């Protein structure tokens, strides 16, 4: 297998293949994500309704997938916190309501694999996808899993990596693999 590109997002910076493509001084991830969306000239209105984990994964994916045919690209992501950041926001929406009417807009994102779904919808992917919860980034595990997908012929390439976000701590490291 070979890596054909990679993206790192952390500390209000997006780096693709070693080159900084977006950098700003926003203090919150939400502010950074809005600015990055504009800077990358993405046109996908659903982005603004996504939770922060989905925005992080989506931005990383867009840097490597934008303007290409990705119908045969699989997705294999992992993180440590699952959707805990959004889960807390959902619990807050329950607690803040007198009559227990939690926000359905937040509930949608209380599963970590929703972010791979958002990417799949945007790029009309019809392939395998998985989201693993691991104690730490395990590149060997992700690569072996991706290798099996590629060998099966179910995909021509795999976008895989780590997309971790909890409160204001975030990092994405994603890369494309091919045979």
């Amino acid at each position: 297998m070979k890596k054909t590109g990679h993206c790192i997002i952390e500390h209000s910076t997006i780096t693709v293949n070693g080159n900084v493509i977006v950098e700003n001084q926003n203090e919150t991830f939400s502010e950074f994500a809005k600015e990055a969306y504009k800077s990358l000239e993405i046109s996908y209105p659903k982005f603004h309704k996504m939770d922060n984990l989905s925005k992080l994964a989506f931005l990383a994916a867009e840097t490597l997938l934008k303007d290409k045919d990705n119908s045969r690209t699989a997705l294999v992501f992992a993180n440590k916190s699952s959707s805990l950041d959004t889960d807390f926001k959902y619990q807050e929406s329950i607690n803040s309501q007198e009559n227990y009417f939690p926000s359905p807009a937040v509930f949608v994102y209380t599963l970590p694999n929703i972010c791979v779904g958002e990417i799949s919808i945007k790029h009309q992917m019809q392939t395998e996808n998985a989201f693993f919860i691991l104690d730490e980034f395990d590149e060997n595990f992700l690569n072996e899993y991706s290798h099996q997908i590629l060998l099966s012929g179910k995909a021509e390439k795999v976008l895989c990596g780590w997309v971790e976000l909890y409160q204001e701590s975030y990092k994405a490291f994603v890369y494309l693999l091919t045979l």
Side-chain angles (χ1 to χ4, degrees), residues 100-113:
Y100 184 80
F101 291 112
S103 171
V106 176
F107 175 74
V108 169
Y109 292 97
T110 56
L111 294 171
N113 66 342

Side-chain angles (χ1 to χ4, degrees), residues 124-139:
Q124 301 176 347
M125 296 173 169
Q126 300 174 4
T127 55
E128 301 288 318
N129 70 61
F131 199 113
F132 296 99
I133 310 303
L134 306 171
D135 284 334
E136 59 188 20
F137 176 60
D138 186 343
E139 189 170 5

Side-chain angles (χ1 to χ4, degrees), residues 4 9 12 18-19 26 40 51 58 75 81 94 108 127 134 139 152 158 165 172 178:
T4 61
I9 301 177
S12 297
N19 301 309
N26 287 312
L40 295 171
D51 74 324
F58 190 88
L75 298 168
S81 299
I94 291 171
V108 169
T127 55
L134 306 171
E139 189 170 5
S152 75
V158 178
L165 182 136
T178 61

Side-chain angles (χ1 to χ4, degrees), residues 29-81:
F29 176 78
S30 292
E31 292 169 350
F32 166 70
K34 286 178 193 173
E35 290 298 318
Y37 177 88
K38 290 177 191 172
S39 294
L40 295 171
E41 299 177 346
I42 299 169
S43 178
Y44 193 67
K46 286 177 60 178
F47 178 84
H48 303 290
K49 294 181 180 183
M50 292 179 195
D51 74 324
N52 284 338
L53 178 63
S54 295
K55 286 179 180 179
L56 177 63
F58 190 88
L59 289 170
E62 280 302 293
T63 64
L64 299 175
L65 302 177
K66 191 174 182 177
D67 301 325
K68 297 179 181 123
D69 176 13
N70 293 293
S71 60
R72 302 259 309 128
T73 302
L75 298 168
V76 178
F77 287 172
N79 76 6
K80 181 177 182 170
S81 299

